[in-house]
Amino acid sequence: IMLLTDPEVESSLLISSDEGATYQKYRLNFYIHSLLFHPKQEDWILAYSQDQKLFSSVEFGRRWLLLHEGVAPNRFYWSMMGSGREPDLVHLEAKTVDGHAQYITCKMQNCSEATRSKPFPGYIDHNSLIVQDDYVFVQLTSGGRPHYYVSYRRNAFAQMKLPKYSLPKDMHVISTDENQVFAAVQEWNQNDTYNLYISDTRGVYFTLALENVKSSQGLEGNVMIDLYEVAGIKGMFLANKKIDNQVKTFITYNKGRDWNLLQAPDTDLRGNPIHCLLPYCSLHLHLKVSENPYTSGNIASRDTAPSIIVASGNIGTELSDNDISMFVSSDAGNTWRQIFEEEHSVLYLDQGGVLVAIKHTSLPIRHLWLSFDEGRSWSKYSFTSLPLFVDGVLGEPGEETLIMTVFGHFSHRSEWQLVKVDYKSIFDRRCAEEDYRPWQLHSQGEACIMGAKRIYRKRKSEKKCMQGKYAGAMTSEPCVCTEADFDCDYGYERHSNGQCLPAFWYNPSSLSKDCSLGQSYLNSTGYRKVVSNNCTDGVRERYTAKPQKCPGKPPQGLRIITSDGKLTAEQGHNVTFLVQLEEGDLQRSLIQVDFGDGIAVSYANLSSTEDGIKHVYQNVGIFRVTVLVENSLGSDNAVLYLHVTCPLEHVHLSLPFVTTKNKEVNATAVLWPSQVGTLTYIWWFGNNTEPLITLEGSITFTFSVEGMNTITVQVSAGNTILQDTKTIAVYEQFQSLRLSFSPNLDDYNPDIPEWRRDISRVVKRSLVEATGISSKHILVAALPGLPTSAELFILPYQDATGENKRTADLEQISEALIQKLNQNLVHFELKPGVRILVHAAHLTAAPLVDITPSHSGSAMLMLLSVVFVGLAVFVIYKFKRKIPGLNIYAQMQNEKDQEMVSPVSQRESIPNVPQSELMSPEQLVDEKLEVQPIEQPQATVQNPRKGNATKVVWTEDFQKACGSPRGFKPRPGAEVFPQLLTPRVQKRSLPM
């Protein structure tokens, strides 16, 4: 005996080995949610914890071993194969680290990673694993449709084949008795009904048994199908079918081959005749089985009493919840008798030799009813002296039991009362042979059921003796096969004349599609014998599938797919291609597969590709995969376009901090890694509710209204979507000033975007404190690279009108800022004892390339020319402007488009750097500045180290190692100097 303690108090087990005389406590380090005992080994237990862990014990709970974590609730099973091999094998559905569900098997004492098996290749749908008898079922949804797979006797999984256009939404396995699957399927056009399907022995090919069976939801949200399998008689089912919004009860004796309405009783409980004529009127039964073991459901039958069925229902045109009475059949559903006018709980004692009935009522009761003649007559007995509110009734286990327990309470405040009732004293002897009579199972007079005549032994109704152990059927004699013993085969439908003809979607010649010349296959006649049917001879030969030689056929219906059904694959990972043919001589076919990346393979026959053709793509892109299959009779080809990608890890939006109104601005999404595959870019501007969708990572746009604007880019790569958001200030006029800092700041500069944002914020605060200028007129952006520098953007007053007024305001603010900067009044404390001064940087003339003796004469001449041009520009600039180092930005008409470039940090520009040392995309390109001097018709970017105008060029070695950053392409016609420069930044003349 095992008792579980209250988990709110402690987690322990109390175990008794002497029928409860003494108990020993065993503390647990987990909280038990449910237990699953082995069907044969009484000391073997599986325990499921509240934190989804599965434990096993071989000592009746005295010691426990952790089997697996992340196990799905109620998705763990003992091995139940009929052969009994591997009784310690456990089947379970577990969650992987990335959240997928997987089917796993392992030994109950060893479930390590090395000993686990994964019988189903790939992941399955959550909460879909079912292990029942010799079958294992899983579900896998792809393309929005669920697909069901079955393994028979632990062989390889095969997809379950339903009629082509059933398109199931849901499936429930009803029965797996006698090597056959009975399943309820909700099809695409059904809501509250299911269709019943029955399979072949392997559980692969299903045919329709009954349409539109009523369903309902249980208390816990589970689906309940109105189908009942009668105990004791194989192949016998009752079902409630919906016909024109009316629910009627049907019965079958041959596993759904034929269904009939139930004949209503001839008389009611008082002996009055009942006028009920089939098919307009019949008996209808409620078929719900109780989920509570202490109460009986609406219907009951027992293996040891094969002919007796007790159920609640009504007589009329349809099933109703009103006027419910109790009915009993003692001849396996052929005829019925009314036994009570109200609902009762009925128990079977002594193999059905005694039926006990207790009324369903909310009032306290003292009496129960007993029948010794299969419900024909009932006697009233008292089981308690005081009226009892009955909560439940439980029969003692065992075939020969005559003991039942009634439990309830005398009042709503009293404790539970248990009343044990023993009926042994009613019988004075055991039944002898002369107390029995033979009874033949039949269906409305037809004695051959499931291909056999079966005769049972039943106690004579007038005899009152104790039966004892159940002996089963006395005799079973096979019948001659008739058409009624055969159902329609897969792909065939029964027509009104009783013939099974091919469905419109089925091609009977497809049976030979996997057949090779020289071999044979079973050619269906359109019929298959009902599984477990024992008939012999007769029409058996005519309806049985015939072996036939495989015809030679050219390849037709060629398909190439990936094993997971997807059109995407990951760079550097195995892709498994499956080649499928609808028809053709597979064994004598030549298969040629071109993967589209310069690699092709050939196979002499298709059998070598049963496990798929594996290939690894080393590059990203869209590849055209072609397959050609040919034999002596013809050929066929197929094409698959495969998108090979690598995971997108980061996206960085690069654009200027400030721009002028109505001026084109370029925004670029920089990706890491740069080569990802097929991408979609979604751009959001400000408060716009509709995005701009492009296939390019760079766009040009303008702002017509001044103010702060946000731009968001989302990059979609396969199932991954990443985004970045930036803010840009838009004004008609603004000025900018390059800032420099104390040299000691470089010692604390990690050159990452987060640090630059924080420094920008601190510098802005210091400028505001030193000058008293409102923060609305100042923007500061720290730039990548060393030495540390920043760009100060000066914005006009919002109420300023007119170009002259704005220019004067900008001059006034700029002079105030320059004055404070030159007086060393702008500073901040980086950390205790580290004070940083902020200065106004000055542009200095510098060569665009390094001068070394190795340069050729023509190169030197070019360098001198560029230097002279730069000096001339510098002199003109100095005379034109009053304030050194200050650029004025304004909207200009008829300006040439200027190219945007980005400063690059120290580590970004070093070629051939190992990937582990490369910076993130935010470090590679942090921010872009569009610099537009009024007087100068060219765009410049200041080198953060030397202050000279430079253009970043990605070297060939760097491009080979890492790929060019997405969005950075040299302009057509731009001259790129050879790598005779410093290893940090390659410089070149800037295009106009």
Side-chain angles (χ1 to χ4, degrees), residues 665-685:
V665 177
N666 183 60
T668 300
V670 184
L671 311 180
W672 184 268
S674 59
Q675 301 299 325
V676 178
T678 307
L679 300 171
T680 303
Y681 299 84
I682 304 104
W683 305 86
W684 303 84
F685 299 94

Side-chain angles (χ1 to χ4, degrees), residues 68-69 86 89-98 100-107 110-124 129 136 138 151 154-157:
H68 207 287
E69 299 182 3
E86 296 185 303
L89 190 68
V90 178
H91 305 258
L92 57 94
E93 178 187 315
K95 185 183 296 184
T96 62
V97 292
D98 52 358
H100 295 288
Q102 202 164 36
Y103 167 36
I104 292 173
T105 62
C106 61
K107 300 286 188 179
N110 185 7
C111 200
S112 63
E113 186 67 36
T115 60
R116 295 173 193 163
S117 296
K118 299 171 183 177
F120 185 80
Y123 301 126
I124 64 175
L129 176 66
V136 179
V138 296
S151 169
R154 311 306 181 256
N155 292 315
F157 277 88

Side-chain angles (χ1 to χ4, degrees), residues 864-904:
L864 291 173
S865 301
V866 172
V867 169
F868 281 127
V869 172
L871 287 174
V873 173
F874 179 75
V875 171
I876 295 172
Y877 178 83
K878 290 289 290 184
F879 280 96
K880 183 70 178 177
R881 308 306 307 155
K882 295 180 180 180
I883 303 174
L886 190 66
N887 300 323
I888 298 179
Y889 295 72
Q891 178 182 2
M892 295 184 62
Q893 304 297 327
N894 302 321
E895 261 189 326
K896 294 183 180 180
D897 291 338
Q898 307 298 321
E899 183 176 10
M900 289 178 49
V901 295
S902 291
V904 181

Side-chain angles (χ1 to χ4, degrees), residues 98 120 162 167 188 221 235 241 247 273 278 280-281 319 372 483 603 637 660 684 728-729 839 881 971 982:
D98 52 358
F120 185 80
L162 294 165
L167 305 179
W188 64 274
K241 178 179 179 178
V247 177
L278 291 174
Y280 310 103
C281 174
L319 182 66
F372 300 96
E483 189 269 340
Y603 295 90
N637 58 70
T660 55
W684 303 84
I728 183 172
H839 308 284
R881 308 306 307 155
R971 286 184 55 171
T982 62

Side-chain angles (χ1 to χ4, degrees), residues 441-676:
L441 175 65
H442 65 96
S443 170
Q444 301 301 324
E446 175 55 55
C448 285
I449 295 179
M450 294 294 288
K453 296 179 180 179
R454 282 172 282 179
I455 298 178
Y456 295 82
R457 189 178 69 165
K458 296 184 68 172
R459 193 185 65 184
K460 296 176 181 178
S461 59
E462 68 275 11
K463 301 293 183 180
K464 194 174 181 180
C465 56
M466 191 167 61
Q467 297 195 77
K469 193 173 176 107
Y470 175 66
M474 292 175 56
T475 62
S476 179
E477 178 185 345
C479 298
V480 174
C481 291
T482 65
E483 189 269 340
D485 296 307
F486 289 82
D487 206 348
C488 290
D489 204 353
Y490 175 76
Y492 290 81
E493 297 174 338
R494 191 176 300 279
H495 287 241
S496 57
N497 59 2
Q499 284 187 309
C500 293
L501 300 176
F504 76 94
W505 50 264
Y506 184 68
N507 181 12
S509 64
S510 63
L511 289 171
S512 62
K513 69 177 182 178
D514 296 328
C515 191
S516 298
L517 194 64
Q519 297 180 343
S520 61
Y521 71 101
L522 290 176
N523 188 19
S524 176
T525 62
Y527 298 84
R528 70 180 184 195
K529 193 169 76 165
V530 176
V531 176
S532 303
N533 188 294
N534 297 319
C535 74
T536 59
D537 302 329
V539 299
R540 178 179 177 182
E541 182 66 24
R542 183 173 44 164
Y543 285 134
T544 302
K546 307 294 189 300
Q548 201 164 325
K549 289 292 182 181
C550 297
K553 293 183 178 181
Q556 290 185 8
L558 177 63
R559 293 178 62 213
I560 180 169
I561 60 174
T562 58
S563 59
D564 57 5
K566 298 180 180 178
L567 296 177
T568 60
E570 193 169 325
Q571 177 189 9
H573 288 68
N574 258 325
V575 185
T576 302
F577 295 99
L578 301 178
V579 178
Q580 300 176 344
L581 268 177
E582 288 188 5
E583 294 184 7
D585 187 1
L586 306 181
Q587 296 299 325
R588 289 175 172 79
S589 296
L590 176 66
I591 306 168
Q592 299 178 23
V593 181
D594 187 339
F595 298 109
D597 60 349
I599 300 176
V601 296
S602 296
Y603 295 90
N605 57 70
L606 196 61
S607 61
S608 58
T609 68
E610 289 179 354
D611 296 330
I613 303 171
K614 292 180 170 44
H615 184 64
V616 177
Y617 286 90
Q618 301 298 338
N619 299 307
V620 299
I622 303 176
F623 296 90
R624 185 175 186 266
V625 184
T626 60
V627 59
L628 172 67
V629 176
E630 57 182 346
N631 59 24
S632 59
L633 300 175
S635 64
D636 197 3
N637 58 70
V639 178
L640 172 72
Y641 294 94
L642 184 70
H643 293 243
V644 178
T645 63
C646 68
L648 178 62
E649 299 179 17
H650 190 83
V651 59
H652 171 79
L653 178 59
S654 177
L655 75 162
F657 298 105
V658 185
T659 188
T660 55
K661 188 174 70 171
N662 295 324
K663 183 64 180 177
E664 285 189 348
V665 177
N666 183 60
T668 300
V670 184
L671 311 180
W672 184 268
S674 59
Q675 301 299 325
V676 178

Side-chain angles (χ1 to χ4, degrees), residues 627-891:
V627 59
L628 172 67
V629 176
E630 57 182 346
N631 59 24
S632 59
L633 300 175
S635 64
D636 197 3
N637 58 70
V639 178
L640 172 72
Y641 294 94
L642 184 70
H643 293 243
V644 178
T645 63
C646 68
L648 178 62
E649 299 179 17
H650 190 83
V651 59
H652 171 79
L653 178 59
S654 177
L655 75 162
F657 298 105
V658 185
T659 188
T660 55
K661 188 174 70 171
N662 295 324
K663 183 64 180 177
E664 285 189 348
V665 177
N666 183 60
T668 300
V670 184
L671 311 180
W672 184 268
S674 59
Q675 301 299 325
V676 178
T678 307
L679 300 171
T680 303
Y681 299 84
I682 304 104
W683 305 86
W684 303 84
F685 299 94
N687 296 323
N688 288 353
T689 57
E690 293 186 2
L692 173 66
I693 301 176
T694 68
L695 297 178
E696 293 294 331
S698 182
I699 62 169
T700 301
F701 54 91
T702 60
F703 289 101
S704 59
V705 179
E706 289 187 305
M708 305 301 294
N709 294 272
T710 59
I711 301 177
T712 298
V713 61
Q714 294 179 323
V715 183
S716 175
N719 294 327
T720 303
I721 297 181
L722 299 181
Q723 78 173 33
D724 190 21
T725 300
K726 288 291 189 299
T727 301
I728 183 172
V730 179
Y731 291 93
E732 287 192 1
Q733 288 183 318
F734 64 89
Q735 294 181 352
S736 75
L737 178 67
R738 182 60 57 89
L739 302 178
S740 61
F741 304 92
S742 304
N744 57 340
L745 181 60
D746 294 345
D747 298 333
Y748 302 96
N749 185 354
D751 204 13
I752 61 175
E754 293 89 340
W755 186 87
R756 290 193 287 271
R757 284 195 291 268
D758 288 336
I759 289 296
S760 301
R761 177 175 46 81
V762 172
V763 172
K764 180 178 179 178
R765 186 174 63 225
S766 301
L767 288 168
V768 171
E769 292 174 354
T771 62
I773 297 174
S774 172
S775 61
K776 298 179 180 179
H777 306 298
I778 298 175
L779 286 178
V780 179
L783 303 177
L786 294 174
T788 308
S789 61
E791 191 80 10
L792 169 62
F793 296 94
I794 305 166
L795 309 178
Y797 295 111
Q798 293 183 355
D799 57 350
T801 58
E803 182 177 347
N804 294 333
K805 173 63 175 173
R806 287 174 177 258
T807 303
D809 290 342
L810 290 174
E811 295 286 353
Q812 179 183 354
I813 298 172
S814 301
E815 290 177 359
L817 288 169
I818 293 291
Q819 182 180 3
K820 296 296 182 181
L821 289 167
N822 290 338
Q823 295 174 358
N824 293 333
L825 297 179
V826 182
H827 53 78
F828 61 90
E829 190 170 358
L830 186 68
K831 58 186 299 186
V834 180
R835 187 184 184 202
I836 306 298
L837 290 176
V838 185
H839 308 284
H842 295 269
L843 293 176
T844 58
L848 292 180
V849 296
D850 291 344
I851 302 176
T852 64
S854 60
H855 289 163
S856 65
S858 60
M860 290 298 298
L861 181 60
M862 183 181 296
L863 291 174
L864 291 173
S865 301
V866 172
V867 169
F868 281 127
V869 172
L871 287 174
V873 173
F874 179 75
V875 171
I876 295 172
Y877 178 83
K878 290 289 290 184
F879 280 96
K880 183 70 178 177
R881 308 306 307 155
K882 295 180 180 180
I883 303 174
L886 190 66
N887 300 323
I888 298 179
Y889 295 72
Q891 178 182 2

